Amino acid sequence: GIQVEQSPPDLILQEGANSTLRCNFSDSVNNLQWFHQNPWGQLINLFYIPSGTKQNGRLSATTVATERYSLLYISSSQTTDSGVYFCAVSNTGANSKLTFGKGITLSVRP
Amino acid sequence: DAGVTQSPTHLIKTRGQQVTLRCSPKSGHDTVSWYQQALGQGPQFIFQYYEEEERQRGNFPDRFSGHQFPNYSSELNVNALLLGDSALYLCASSLTLLMNTEAFFGQGTRLTVV
């Protein structure tokens, strides 16, 4: 099956700094999503981005499908951005299962 | 617009027992998928239900079974619980037959097997 690798595994930032989180995948995809998992475990949707670029406030994402990677940018980080960020992809037909990476743990210090 | 809701939020069971977890999909969605997330890992796909049938299944034993009801809600059943079944169980809903199949997740059920 498809493999998903996220890097770096851990990231520590000072409040106000910018960061880039990377997701590499091993095959073509028809769905790619970025999630933020809050301390209570819920996965919060950040972006649905199988290709192209999107922005939502301080967050933006780019997926280069032909080169099999996606980037999540966080600008002017805040302590509330802390948590685990997951990239998840699917590639086996419409509405098929999501395969998740191992996640990136972000800690933003005041 | 109600999002994905799961119940219960926490559950403690004894090894060998059976458990049922419940999920109501986001309004307008017709497909429900279940995932298991062990501590420190990413979620792993268990199975997916659409039109009241299991459509896809991950690498989980037959002890894991499910059901989807006509109102699209779903149950996950786990028989003969093992200590290793302790995890966060996440339900996701989506809409089949659309180009955009973005999945939305519930808050999860944290199962502890003792």
Side-chain angles (χ1 to χ4, degrees):
Chain A
I2 193 168
Q3 304 297 313
V4 181
E5 292 187 3
Q6 294 186 244
S7 60
D10 301 281
L11 194 54
I12 300 174
L13 300 174
Q14 284 297 127
E15 199 168 24
N18 302 329
S19 61
T20 300
L21 286 61
R22 187 177 181 99
C23 172
N24 291 335
F25 42 94
S26 61
D27 203 347
S28 59
V29 299
N30 52 26
N31 181 0
L32 189 147
Q33 293 185 240
W34 281 97
F35 299 93
H36 178 207
Q37 190 163 41
N38 67 22
W40 299 272
Q42 182 157 13
L43 289 169
I44 307 299
N45 288 42
L46 297 178
F47 293 100
Y48 170 81
I49 187 165
S51 63
T53 298
K54 291 185 177 180
Q55 181 158 6
N56 184 5
R58 296 182 297 104
L59 273 59
S60 63
T62 295
T63 297
V64 184
T66 54
E67 297 187 21
R68 299 180 184 171
Y69 73 88
S70 182
L71 301 173
L72 176 68
Y73 305 98
I74 304 175
S75 65
S76 304
S77 58
Q78 302 175 358
T79 56
T80 52
D81 294 331
S82 297
V84 183
Y85 289 79
F86 286 102
C87 168
V89 304
S90 67
N91 74 331
T92 53
N95 208 12
S96 58
K97 66 175 184 178
L98 288 172
T99 299
F100 284 76
K102 292 185 177 180
I104 296 170
T105 301
L106 174 64
S107 299
V108 181
R109 296 178 173 172
Chain B
D1 180 18
V4 181
T5 58
Q6 293 185 240
S7 63
T9 54
H10 294 82
L11 203 52
I12 300 175
K13 288 287 189 178
T14 302
R15 190 172 48 183
Q17 285 188 316
Q18 179 263 346
V19 68
T20 297
L21 310 182
R22 296 177 174 82
C23 173
S24 292
K26 182 178 170 66
S27 177
H29 283 185
D30 59 8
T31 302
V32 173
S33 303
W34 288 92
Y35 293 79
Q36 180 195 65
Q37 186 178 18
L39 203 60
Q41 302 295 318
Q44 299 290 316
F45 175 76
I46 303 175
F47 44 53
Q48 181 186 81
Y49 277 84
Y50 170 64
E51 292 186 325
E52 302 181 47
E53 291 188 9
E54 183 183 293
R55 299 291 179 166
Q56 300 177 61
R57 189 177 183 93
N59 188 24
F60 280 80
D62 291 344
R63 298 186 298 107
F64 289 76
S65 64
H67 189 77
Q68 186 180 34
F69 299 94
N71 67 353
Y72 308 118
S73 67
S74 176
E75 290 182 348
L76 163 65
N77 301 292
V78 187
N79 294 323
L81 284 166
L82 303 174
L83 296 180
D85 295 331
S86 295
L88 179 66
Y89 288 85
L90 294 163
C91 168
S93 77
S94 56
L95 183 60
T96 299
L97 302 180
L98 265 192
M99 290 301 293
N100 179 335
T101 56
E102 183 176 5
F104 292 83
F105 284 78
Q107 81 279 18
T109 294
R110 196 167 296 277
L111 172 66
T112 302
V113 182
V114 298

